[in-house]
Amino acid sequence: MSQSITKLQGTAIVLMAISPTAMLVVPKNVMNVVEQDAWMSLVLSIAVAAVAAWGLGSFASQAIGGVPYQRWLRGKAGRWVATLGGGLLAAYYYSIASVALHEFISFVSAEVLEYTPKTVLKGVVVLVLMFMAAQGIEATARICVLAMLAMAPLMLLAFVLLLGEMDWHQLLPIADHSWHSVALGGIVPFGWFSESAIILLIAPYMIRQKDAVGSAVNGVLISGSMLLFTVLQSLLVFGPRLVRSMDYAPFELFALIEVGNFFERVEVLFIVFWMATVFLKLGLFFQGAVHLLETTLRMPFRRMPLLAGIGLLLWLDSSTSWPRDMNETLTTSVTTALLFGCNLLLPLLLAALCRLHGRVERSGGDGANE
Amino acid sequence: MNRRMSRTLLPLALMVIVLTGCWDRTELNELSITSATAVDRKGDRWVVSYQVLIPSVVSGASGPMKGGAQLPITVYTTEGPTIREAIYQSTLESPRTLFFSHNRVLIVGEELAKGGLSELIDVYLRNSDSRETVTVLIAKGEGRKILEQLLQIQIIPGDGIRETMKTESENYSALPYVNMYSLAKALTSESNSAVIPEIFISGGAPVTSEEQFNSTTMSSKLKLGKLAILRDGRLVGWLKVRDALGVNFIRNQVKKTVISLGCGQQNEATEGPGHSSSMFAVKLLHSATTIKPVLQGGDEPLRMLVKVKAEGTLLETDCKADLDRQDTIKEMERQLEEEIRSVIRNGFGETQKLQTDIVGFADMIHRRYPKRWREMKKAWSQAYAEIKLETQVDFTLRRLGLTSKSFTKLDEESRGGEE
Amino acid sequence: MMRWFGQLLPPFRRTRSSHSGGGSTAGTRRGLRRGDELTGSLSRRVADNLSLIRELFGDSVDLISRGLGGSAGQPWLGIVYLEPLVDADLVNRCVLMPLVDKVKENGPVEGIGQLHDLLPIGRLAELDQIGDLMTHLLSGYTIILLEGAAAFAVSTIGGEKRSVDEPTSQTVTRGPKESFTESLLTNMTLLRRRLKSPDLRVEGFTIGRRTRTFVNMVYMEGIAAPGPVKEIRRRLGRIDVDSILDSGYIEEFIQEERWTPFPTIQNTERPDAASAGLLEGQIAVVVDGSPFVLLAPSTFVKFFQSSEDYYQRYDISSFLRMIRYICFFVSILLPSLYIAVTTFHQEMLPTPLLISLASQREGVPFPALVEALLMELTFEVLREAGVRMPRVVGPAISIVGALVLGQAAVQAGLVSAAMIIVVSFTAIANFVIPSVNMAAGARLIRFVLMLVGGTLGLFGIMCGLMVMVVHLVSLKSFGIPYMTPLAPLVWNNLKDVWIRVPWPLMKTRPTLPRTEAAGGQGDVRRQAEGSEADSHANSASREPETNSNSER
């Protein structure tokens, strides 16, 4: 694959890797802990996440152009580390894709298409994902940019249309909750922001590797502000108590939009746009998994028979692993732990191992590049 | 390779989609479009009534059907142990599935309100096909009768009720416009209380058939009435329209309203006593209220400072006072301020009698003095009943309309000239 | 003698053709590598050559051959031409007359030198291969056979052709009204007249074994990127087919992606549009026998630009251009959106609309999806019939079709009136798209989206659009991404996409994104610095964003 991803595309990719599912899950989770101070938790977690993104971006910018992440790791840290790391990451990306797919289809089934079997919906989505993977990361990157540009006016529109319903007093009293509640509330969003680790896979295909830092940080900041915006809006319109029971707060918001007597109940339009962004996120993660599998196992997962295989696996896995849709707390805490583990700890570990291995190699013999 | 993949994947995708058939598809003529719903309790059974539209009568568009219904709506009722089961029982009598997305109005029965609204609100929040933007109204007695009433001006009665509610809250502002999610919000706020306007049929039995419908005046009409007060989700009392206006002033929900006053002092000043039967009317165009809670020492009751700033125009006057003079205007403004203050005081007094905080003082105190609030929370109802309200009204009469002297005065002057 | 015998035997052997002899003023035209090539050289005897040619043509009546001078069986001079292909007047005046005069003076024409001085015709070529002779003869050249020398071909191309007329398909209200014709020469005339620059390069190909169609590849040296030029040259050279009867054949041979409803090569009947394309770095392929000139590489946005945009004022042009994009989406999405919203998402409709639609559907026997498909197919049938209809009957049938059929169907209760409106508006929106092949693509996609919309509602439409967008974004036209400048985002080029900025502001040509296939940029300045009229013209023309290694 050629190096053709620009900094703007990199930012858009990070944005799309974080926002779509975060937008859905975060308002409720944060408000459960801190109610009307949710925005403070969010600001805190954005700040921390930006620092983490900077760290991840710097690690990523050491990549060599054109050399896939896993192979570069092999060069820097040795075969075993690379294989293990690659395998773990592949499993991680795959499972996030599976979870996100499941949550996405649950939402669609709950809000939009009630009677269509979820299996069919998942099958259709997996087919589209396979098609996207076949076209390569560049195509996905381009669409991410377009979606990012379209998001701004849409959010603005939603804001303007809901102005009448907002009650600024809902923000008071400020700082009603203790600092450790605020910090606790910030953990879940921070977990989601750590998805910026996808920059590690993207960096080798960027035109300038140094752009990776900028992309990661900008992506986190933009998605952070969007998330903040969403949380603020839910807070201002519904109040903290009500949001705690709403599963899909942002869409309840859009359900309230009424312009005159003819532009009502149009939340399906916003939902459709949001669906497009979820497709992008799923596409990114699926391609991430495929790419890692390809480089770790050295088999052409991007081509037809194996691609169909992994697509089929994703479909079946997503359809059958979730006998019940419920059990929110378990899902959230497990997901957060997973996000922390694979997005932050793993790269940290790998970076440390790279350094270590580099030192060993340098003292031992010639360079480690294969 | 990519091309081959696209070639095999795309047709596959398309085939899958088409082969699957359509589960969620409902044709337009398979829907029962509901425009108004009424929910009530009979003992421990839920009674749900629906006002269903008949499209071919409602719209002017062509349809080759002749005969059949001539009236735009049909009403029927179902019962069940829970609300949703009652709704699904409708499949026993209706050929089409109920479609609630265009439901405009929800009429809550008095019995239900007395028992508690929480289950009803849960249904609305949990289900995706019930909209949270329905207008909520309360009816004394059976809600079903309200649904059966036809409106002459608006062919869809559900729409008509909603428009009535909206117009009233815009132009008269005595009864606030309540929809489901604001109701939910109010009931979960610190004050745990809410209001719902009442709707009733004036004139007796509802007009339900065509003969009664086809005359220039109908024997009965839908009207908005009092304001129902709920505390902890249950109905505790009613407020008259005037008091409701006062409460709305405190809640800062007055948009436009009309106040009529006797000319009183002015006339006495110019003409002497005995001419106080003439009145003048002022339209409030704009009103803003700010409230400041003042916490005092431990045992003293809470004081709330209510400041209303309003402006309006003169609509009608029978007074003989000369409107060109500044002091006449000032006198009118003073009278109005006094009137507004008294309306507010009376309204607030009524709520204090019911010990229900529908004006949102609880939230204000919580926001301003969060620590003190935690202590006050438990005994709030009593504390509320003892609040001292201090009102300050600042009213400006901006315009006098197109004429300056009242016609009565002109009339008199010309008569005086003849004598 | 033996050589001549060998020529008679297998006349159709596949060998490379050789270039025609040197010293000619005409450029060389690349012929076929394989195919029906005649081998062998010509004899030095006029009589032999004459009889050979007559035999190869099977004594066709329209082959005119004459011998001049000498005795009856052994002429000194032979003249051969194909009557339908030559300008008879030119042949008589400029070829026969001087030669007859010369022969009368009693002397064979000695060698080339004298012939050059004798014939007042510009293009003259010397031939010694049979294959070349046939090519020239079949192109309208007159062959002059000399005793003791080989043969010469002089250009006397003539014959009836259509005169330059107004374009039939891509009409404008303001702007030039000339259109390309079937004659390659006329088309080149039209192009050369507009681009009076020596940088306009023309490379010639002969494609098609039986038709031997002349195909010219035209580009502006220094503006067109070298990558696509090389690629098109390669692909044109690679075509091996029996016949090329229209530029459409060439289009299908050289296009990059076969499995896409979106066109990657433009075609135009208008010389001004072709010239504009050439000036933006496109390469024109002019095919003899077809009034449609191909322009490649083409991106998505080019199919929405009409020449009229540049002749009218920028405000109305920008407005109309935005309407075109909207109409594109309408023509793809409207029926599917209608079906999806009325059968899956009825809550989105305002209540009065819902009621009106519901009452229209009372008594209609088909589900919305079937109804929509039926009406769309009927409309396609009507449209196709309108094309085939003889002109006198045409208008009557279209009125009948549209009004009566639609109205009658509604009144019979077979379809709902709203569906008729949706279908007709979709069709009308389709006509707004300036380029016919893009409109054709839109027509096909519409059906696919209708099917997915009818099965899965807006979710299905979204999936379908996602697939379409991914596909669009990964298409390439000769190495250039199809969705430039939208994806990858090139800010500079956006000035001509949604709107058309006024001419004084269009200082640079659209630059190509940074791809290896493009191989560097040509000259990107569209205007010279002195041509700006307004006061804030101090900034020199903007530097292009990407690398500009102008290869000169």
Side-chain angles (χ1 to χ4, degrees):
Chain A
M1 253 197 287
S2 53
Q3 295 173 254
S4 46
I5 299 194
T6 64
K7 186 166 170 188
L8 187 67
Q9 286 175 342
T11 313
I13 288 180
V14 172
L15 175 67
M16 289 301 158
I18 299 176
S19 323
T21 36
M23 225 174 82
L24 220 51
V25 171
V26 166
K28 176 175 163 192
N29 276 308
V30 180
M31 280 199 229
N32 252 329
V33 183
V34 268
E35 291 186 354
Q36 70 269 22
D37 292 329
W39 58 279
M40 294 172 71
S41 292
L42 216 54
V43 169
L44 189 67
S45 75
I46 293 176
V48 181
V51 172
W54 183 84
L56 284 168
S58 333
F59 183 42
S61 62
Q62 295 169 22
I64 309 169
V67 177
Y69 181 52
Q70 201 264 348
R71 218 182 302 157
W72 171 77
L73 271 183
R74 203 186 310 149
K76 289 210 112 189
R79 245 183 45 203
W80 289 112
V81 174
T83 315
L84 215 63
L88 267 174
L89 275 176
Y92 164 67
Y93 275 98
Y94 171 78
S95 54
I96 289 285
S98 175
V99 171
L101 178 63
H102 173 76
E103 284 188 13
F104 174 49
I105 298 293
S106 310
F107 171 79
V108 168
S109 212
E111 291 266 344
V112 181
L113 290 170
E114 253 182 289
Y115 301 107
T116 313
K118 296 208 192 89
T119 319
V120 170
L121 292 173
K122 287 180 185 164
V124 170
V125 174
V126 167
L127 280 172
V128 177
L129 290 181
M130 291 204 303
F131 182 65
M132 281 169 79
Q135 304 297 336
I137 188 76
E138 222 178 295
T140 315
R142 288 181 192 155
I143 307 180
C144 286
V145 172
L146 291 175
M148 182 171 83
L149 292 174
M151 256 181 161
L154 275 176
M155 303 222 76
L156 205 64
L157 186 69
F159 179 72
V160 166
L161 290 173
L162 282 173
L163 265 179
E165 314 278 347
M166 292 195 198
D167 179 16
W168 295 93
H169 296 294
Q170 307 259 35
L171 282 178
L172 304 166
I174 304 187
D176 200 18
H177 299 263
S178 57
W179 279 109
H180 33 261
S181 307
V182 170
L184 208 68
I187 288 189
V188 171
F190 178 54
W192 286 103
F193 287 132
S194 64
E195 294 284 8
S196 57
I198 199 169
I199 195 76
L200 288 168
L201 292 180
I202 303 289
Y205 301 105
M206 297 185 79
I207 297 179
R208 279 186 297 264
Q209 269 63 46
K210 297 219 187 346
D211 282 340
V213 184
S215 288
V217 177
N218 286 344
V220 166
L221 288 175
I222 297 180
S223 65
S225 36
M226 268 203 258
L227 213 53
L228 187 64
F229 198 66
T230 313
V231 166
L232 269 177
Q233 259 190 317
S234 320
L235 196 56
L236 291 173
V237 174
F238 286 125
R241 301 270 173 80
L242 222 47
V243 178
R244 283 202 285 196
S245 70
M246 287 184 179
D247 262 354
Y248 304 118
F251 296 110
E252 302 287 337
L253 267 182
F254 297 135
L256 297 179
I257 294 180
E258 277 179 1
V259 175
N261 252 343
F262 67 94
F263 193 67
E264 317 175 75
R265 301 175 289 263
V266 287
E267 82 267 15
V268 188
L269 283 178
F270 290 92
I271 290 181
V272 161
F273 177 72
W274 174 80
M275 277 203 258
T277 56
V278 176
F279 261 105
L280 289 173
K281 171 172 176 145
L282 288 173
L284 282 171
F285 277 80
F286 185 61
Q287 285 181 58
V290 162
H291 172 78
L292 282 163
L293 280 173
E294 203 174 57
T295 51
T296 314
L297 300 176
R298 300 205 225 187
M299 288 203 278
F301 271 92
R302 260 187 45 210
R303 307 270 167 82
M304 210 30 212
L306 282 173
L307 183 65
I310 193 151
L312 196 66
L313 185 67
L314 183 68
W315 179 39
L316 292 173
D317 172 28
S318 193
S319 307
T320 54
S321 303
W322 306 84
R324 283 168 308 178
D325 290 340
M326 309 173 299
N327 214 341
E328 278 287 334
T329 9
L330 184 62
T331 322
T332 316
S333 40
V334 167
T335 315
T336 315
L338 191 67
L339 288 167
F340 266 99
C342 293
N343 280 331
L344 297 174
L345 295 180
L346 195 58
L348 206 62
L349 193 67
L350 288 172
L353 284 171
C354 283
R355 279 276 183 84
L356 203 66
H357 192 86
R359 237 174 273 155
V360 167
E361 282 285 333
R362 238 175 285 137
S363 60
D366 47 337
N369 277 341
E370 288 190 359
Chain B
M1 261 307 160
N2 283 350
R3 250 166 269 156
R4 265 248 300 261
M5 217 151 358
S6 329
R7 249 192 286 161
T8 39
L9 281 180
L10 273 176
L12 254 180
L14 299 176
M15 281 196 295
V16 163
I17 288 170
V18 179
L19 288 172
T20 50
C22 335
W23 293 266
D24 265 292
R25 222 191 65 214
T26 26
E27 291 293 332
L28 283 172
N29 46 1
E30 292 168 15
L31 296 175
S32 249
I33 306 173
T34 318
S35 63
T37 334
V39 181
D40 209 347
R41 276 294 244 177
K42 217 193 281 182
D44 52 348
R45 307 269 300 167
W46 290 88
V47 179
V48 189
S49 315
Y50 324 94
Q51 181 189 81
V52 173
L53 297 175
I54 301 175
S56 45
V57 177
V58 174
S59 84
S62 66
M65 304 297 249
K66 290 217 179 80
Q70 295 300 320
L71 290 174
I73 56 170
T74 171
V75 179
Y76 57 99
T77 310
T78 54
E79 276 187 23
T82 56
I83 302 175
R84 286 315 276 206
E85 175 155 354
I87 292 177
Y88 278 99
Q89 293 237 350
S90 70
T91 54
L92 288 171
E93 63 180 88
S94 168
R96 301 182 177 187
T97 39
L98 285 170
F99 184 62
F100 285 103
S101 296
H102 288 256
N103 192 21
R104 295 292 197 183
V105 179
L106 175 68
I107 315 264
V108 174
E110 196 180 358
E111 285 298 317
L112 168 59
K114 286 200 184 128
L117 288 179
S118 35
E119 190 167 343
L120 180 64
I121 299 184
D122 179 82
V123 164
Y124 266 83
L125 292 179
R126 192 175 295 276
N127 287 281
S128 65
D129 58 346
S130 317
R131 313 296 306 188
E132 294 91 12
T133 49
V134 285
T135 313
V136 182
L137 295 168
I138 194 167
K140 279 197 184 146
E142 261 191 53
R144 189 199 157 109
K145 296 268 182 307
I146 310 277
L147 297 183
E148 290 173 357
Q149 171 74 16
L150 293 166
L151 287 180
Q152 276 178 320
I153 278 190
Q154 195 99 354
I155 198 165
I156 304 174
D159 257 352
I161 299 175
R162 183 169 189 246
E163 291 300 316
T164 311
M165 193 65 240
K166 264 196 177 162
T167 325
E168 189 275 332
S169 88
E170 280 285 329
N171 292 319
Y172 197 60
S173 297
L175 303 171
Y177 174 74
V178 176
N179 56 24
M180 183 54 82
Y181 87 90
S182 65
L183 189 64
K185 214 163 58 157
L187 286 173
T188 52
S189 69
E190 297 284 352
S191 45
N192 276 335
S193 56
V195 298
I196 304 181
E198 180 210 0
I199 188 167
F200 65 98
I201 300 183
S202 74
V207 170
T208 54
S209 65
E210 210 175 335
E211 310 89 51
Q212 295 168 291
F213 192 56
N214 279 335
S215 70
T216 47
T217 39
M218 296 213 290
S219 56
S220 64
K221 293 208 180 94
L222 286 172
K223 273 176 109 159
L224 293 170
K226 303 194 190 156
L227 191 66
I229 312 283
L230 292 97
R231 188 180 60 201
D232 292 331
R234 292 185 157 70
L235 179 68
V236 291
W238 301 87
L239 279 184
K240 293 205 276 289
V241 172
R242 198 92 175 137
D243 298 327
L245 180 64
V247 168
N248 263 356
F249 266 112
I250 306 180
R251 283 157 63 118
N252 198 16
Q253 284 187 350
V254 171
K255 297 188 187 81
K256 290 192 272 263
T257 186
V258 174
I259 300 186
S260 307
L261 292 172
C263 294
Q265 275 162 305
Q266 312 169 31
N267 278 1
E268 282 175 20
T270 56
E271 300 286 327
H275 286 263
S276 53
S277 53
S278 355
M279 319 253 321
F280 69 97
V282 170
K283 177 169 173 178
L284 251 73
L285 288 173
H286 176 76
S287 152
T289 312
T290 41
I291 305 185
K292 206 169 99 154
V294 176
L295 271 186
Q296 299 175 169
D299 276 335
E300 287 205 28
L302 198 55
R303 274 168 49 216
M304 302 293 277
L305 296 166
V306 177
K307 280 200 207 139
V308 179
K309 191 160 158 48
E311 47 183 58
T313 67
L314 185 64
L315 284 184
E316 162 187 345
T317 171
D318 200 25
C319 307
K320 302 215 177 68
D322 193 354
L323 293 170
D324 283 331
R325 288 169 42 190
Q326 270 294 14
D327 39 335
T328 323
I329 309 280
K330 281 217 175 351
E331 178 61 26
M332 290 167 82
E333 287 180 356
R334 194 198 59 77
Q335 274 185 286
L336 211 63
E337 286 171 7
E338 182 56 48
E339 177 70 17
I340 294 179
R341 272 218 298 275
S342 102
V343 162
I344 292 179
R345 251 197 319 254
N346 291 342
F348 187 63
E350 289 297 315
T351 65
Q352 280 187 310
K353 275 192 218 144
L354 294 168
Q355 291 192 343
T356 314
D357 174 16
I358 55 172
V359 291
F361 282 167
D363 287 288
M364 284 178 219
I365 296 185
H366 173 60
R367 284 174 196 148
R368 234 189 136 96
Y369 303 107
K371 294 193 181 59
R372 283 289 300 271
W373 170 248
R374 263 169 248 170
E375 302 150 21
M376 296 175 76
K377 215 159 121 151
K378 301 155 212 135
W380 180 240
S381 313
Q382 279 98 318
Y384 182 74
E386 292 167 16
I387 288 183
K388 285 212 182 331
L389 199 69
E390 293 172 14
T391 31
Q392 252 181 318
V393 182
D394 174 17
F395 177 78
T396 323
L397 196 62
R398 286 241 174 258
R399 297 188 53 87
L400 299 174
L402 296 171
T403 54
S404 55
K405 292 204 167 82
S406 77
F407 193 73
T408 320
K409 180 105 188 204
L410 280 178
D411 195 27
E412 249 185 43
E413 280 172 2
S414 63
R415 254 187 285 132
E418 277 179 15
E419 280 170 12
Chain C
M1 227 18 184
M2 285 311 290
R3 231 188 311 151
W4 180 82
F5 206 84
Q7 284 156 22
L8 270 186
L9 283 174
F12 302 102
R13 209 184 298 155
R14 296 158 188 260
T15 54
R16 299 181 78 88
S17 71
S18 54
H19 293 295
S20 47
S24 59
T25 51
T28 59
R29 189 169 278 283
R30 260 159 282 201
L32 304 168
R33 275 187 295 117
R34 304 179 302 232
D36 308 336
E37 283 305 325
L38 307 169
T39 57
S41 325
L42 295 162
S43 118
R44 299 261 151 176
R45 303 189 47 99
V46 175
D48 299 335
N49 289 337
L50 277 178
S51 49
L52 170 67
I53 295 174
R54 271 196 216 107
E55 191 146 353
L56 284 173
F57 273 90
D59 277 324
S60 295
V61 163
D62 48 4
L63 181 74
I64 311 284
S65 58
R66 272 184 66 176
L68 292 176
S71 53
Q74 301 286 328
W76 294 330
L77 211 63
I79 300 190
V80 194
Y81 61 91
L82 276 170
E83 191 169 7
L85 291 176
V86 301
D87 181 358
D89 185 49
L90 196 63
V91 171
N92 294 339
R93 251 186 326 111
C94 303
V95 178
L96 282 179
M97 205 160 79
L99 290 175
V100 163
D101 285 343
K102 184 68 184 170
V103 166
K104 263 201 226 145
E105 279 172 31
N106 263 19
V109 175
E110 302 272 339
I112 319 159
Q114 287 215 330
L115 206 63
H116 271 262
D117 297 330
L118 264 183
L119 299 174
I121 290 191
R123 220 180 246 272
L124 191 146
E126 187 180 350
L127 316 164
D128 65 345
Q129 298 288 327
I130 297 187
D132 287 337
L133 183 140
M134 297 302 283
T135 312
H136 282 88
L137 194 58
L138 288 163
S139 307
Y141 281 58
T142 302
I143 310 291
I144 304 174
L145 302 162
L146 280 183
E147 186 73 28
F152 298 91
V154 288
S155 168
T156 50
I157 300 179
E160 285 301 316
K161 41 185 180 213
R162 191 162 67 91
S163 59
V164 174
D165 206 352
E166 277 192 38
T168 51
S169 60
Q170 296 159 357
T171 47
V172 295
T173 41
R174 175 175 173 175
K177 291 193 203 272
E178 285 183 320
S179 134
F180 285 125
T181 63
E182 285 75 5
S183 154
L184 185 63
L185 198 59
T186 315
N187 295 344
M188 292 309 298
T189 312
L190 293 169
L191 279 176
R192 281 271 184 204
R193 271 200 201 133
R194 284 178 171 79
L195 291 170
K196 300 188 186 102
S197 159
D199 289 331
L200 186 69
R201 303 292 155 90
V202 182
E203 294 179 23
F205 295 81
T206 309
I207 307 182
R209 276 188 240 143
R210 303 274 179 168
T211 56
R212 297 180 199 238
T213 317
F214 289 151
V215 175
N216 277 355
M217 178 175 117
V218 185
Y219 62 95
M220 290 292 281
E221 170 77 28
I223 300 181
V229 172
K230 233 187 315 195
E231 187 60 28
I232 293 185
R233 194 183 292 139
R234 190 180 71 84
R235 289 185 197 180
L236 281 175
R238 229 182 32 178
I239 302 176
D240 177 22
V241 77
D242 250 7
S243 60
I244 296 285
L245 294 172
D246 183 67
S247 57
Y249 290 55
I250 303 262
E251 180 177 347
E252 279 197 25
F253 274 107
I254 61 176
Q255 78 183 2
E256 199 143 337
E257 315 258 354
R258 231 165 286 138
W259 299 100
T260 168
F262 295 102
T264 47
I265 300 180
Q266 269 175 294
N267 59 15
T268 175
E269 230 185 346
R270 303 176 54 85
D272 53 314
S275 316
L278 285 168
L279 285 168
E280 277 187 6
Q282 284 183 307
I283 298 152
V285 177
V286 191
V287 177
D288 189 32
S290 167
F292 286 93
V293 165
L294 301 174
L295 287 171
S298 270
T299 53
F300 184 75
V301 296
K302 286 217 200 291
F303 289 95
F304 289 88
Q305 294 169 346
S306 136
S307 356
E308 191 163 3
D309 288 347
Y310 301 94
Y311 307 142
Q312 303 273 22
R313 283 178 55 82
Y314 66 95
D315 41 15
I316 187 71
S317 305
S318 308
F319 174 66
L320 289 174
R321 201 173 265 180
M322 283 196 274
I323 290 202
R324 272 181 224 141
Y325 282 108
I326 295 175
C327 281
F328 175 69
F329 283 105
V330 165
S331 74
I332 295 183
L333 285 175
L334 192 64
S336 41
L337 276 180
Y338 175 76
I339 299 172
V341 171
T342 55
T343 48
F344 287 85
H345 308 284
Q346 296 93 348
E347 66 262 13
M348 281 177 63
L349 297 167
T351 317
L353 183 62
L354 176 68
I355 295 178
S356 168
L357 289 174
S359 74
Q360 284 172 29
R361 279 209 63 88
E362 298 284 344
V364 171
F366 311 113
L369 178 60
V370 176
E371 196 188 340
L373 282 173
L374 222 62
M375 288 312 299
E376 290 284 352
L377 287 172
T378 311
F379 199 89
E380 292 292 327
V381 168
L382 274 171
R383 193 171 155 159
E384 194 61 18
V387 172
R388 311 270 160 250
M389 205 76 65
R391 232 158 260 223
V392 278
V393 193
I397 297 286
S398 61
I399 295 175
V400 166
L403 292 180
V404 176
L405 211 60
Q407 187 71 7
V410 170
Q411 283 195 321
L414 290 175
V415 291
S416 58
M419 183 59 79
I420 304 275
I421 298 175
V422 164
V423 170
S424 353
F425 192 68
T426 313
I428 293 174
N430 200 302
F431 286 121
V432 171
I433 302 174
S435 126
V436 176
N437 37 7
M438 180 61 87
R443 273 155 82 183
L444 294 174
I445 296 175
R446 176 177 35 148
F447 284 102
V448 174
L449 282 177
M450 262 202 283
L451 286 175
V452 290
T455 8
L456 290 172
L458 277 177
F459 177 77
I461 295 181
M462 220 277 314
C463 290
L465 279 180
M466 197 73 196
V467 169
M468 188 180 100
V469 171
V470 170
H471 173 71
L472 273 175
V473 156
S474 44
L475 271 182
K476 280 202 206 307
S477 178
F478 295 94
I480 301 181
Y482 194 58
M483 292 298 281
T484 321
L486 293 170
L489 206 58
V490 182
W491 291 101
N492 196 28
N493 296 355
L494 283 175
K495 61 184 187 283
D496 202 11
V497 172
W498 309 113
I499 54 168
R500 183 184 66 80
V501 295
W503 274 108
L505 294 177
M506 284 222 245
K507 292 196 205 114
T508 53
R509 271 182 270 276
T511 54
L512 297 170
R514 206 192 142 118
T515 54
E516 287 124 34
Q521 301 285 351
D523 172 20
V524 283
R525 282 177 307 123
R526 199 198 281 264
Q527 296 177 2
E529 279 139 62
S531 68
E532 282 129 17
D534 40 342
S535 52
H536 38 265
N538 293 326
S539 54
S541 49
R542 273 180 261 142
E543 289 302 313
E545 276 190 354
T546 56
N547 300 339
S548 62
N549 318 316
S550 57
E551 298 179 9
R552 286 193 181 262

